[in-house]
Amino acid sequence: MKTLLTGFEEDKNFHVVLNSVIAGRYHVTEYLGSAAFSKAIQAHDLHTGVDVCIKIIKNNKDFFDQSLDEIKLLKYVNKHDPGDKYHILRLYDYFYYREHLLIVCELLKANLYEFHKFNRESGGEVYFTMPRLQSITIQCLEALQYLHGLGLIHCDLKPENILVKSYSRCEVKVIDLGSSCFETDHLCSYVQSRSYRAPEVILGLSYDKKIDIWSLGCILAELCTGN
């Protein structure tokens, strides 16, 4: 029997319960994993019949504020790409529930880091062939060109933030705009994950959208060489 949660429970920790229904709409089907400030679940939208990913933000003001910024950017980016042409994660819904902010997005598959590691360790057929790497490169460049055209810098491009949409068609999407900023903003000096950080950021110099291109180059070198 499905457990209907009201949204007014006293417990501040969000306990994921399989087969429960969130907000009378999202039937929880799978726990996907956790990150530093969130956990992710797969759910079936009872209103639309579509499987979705729900990101549950930890009950912390800093995490909450950063996630609100990401929601604003996703809404802005999605609004200017109604045809979903530019390989950016689609935002479906967001709401406050049981003392947590929940963000509902399209359901994608493994990120490039996890999939590349699995592919290498499984000993099966190599997935990241040159034609597929070229396809991934084109899609990521189109995503970055689109973001940069809106005046945005992603600021945290890495394999974990590129997810597979289709294995057979080699389709990917760029996610996580939580660290993104407009070029006209007061730019933070501490951006990008260490292994994908551009030289100008390391040296504490001024930077612009080109730092995303550096990160993409690092990602492709990693996928190509395995190092």
Side-chain angles (χ1 to χ4, degrees), residues 112-113 116-121 126 128 133 159 196 217-227:
L112 291 190
Y113 173 79
H116 184 246
K117 182 180 179 182
F118 170 79
N119 184 237
R120 284 173 59 86
E121 293 178 351
V126 174
F128 293 97
L133 286 174
Y196 312 95
C218 295
I219 293 167
L220 295 172
E222 183 177 331
L223 293 176
C224 187
T225 65
N227 299 316

Side-chain angles (χ1 to χ4, degrees), residues 109-110 112 115 119 125-129 131-133 135-136 139 163-172:
K109 305 184 189 302
L112 291 190
F115 183 47
N119 184 237
E125 181 182 352
V126 174
Y127 181 84
F128 293 97
T129 60
R132 286 193 176 121
L133 286 174
S135 176
I136 290 170
Q139 292 172 73
L163 270 58
V164 178
K165 180 180 179 181
S166 169
Y167 294 112
S168 60
R169 297 189 299 273
C170 191
E171 293 177 351
V172 298

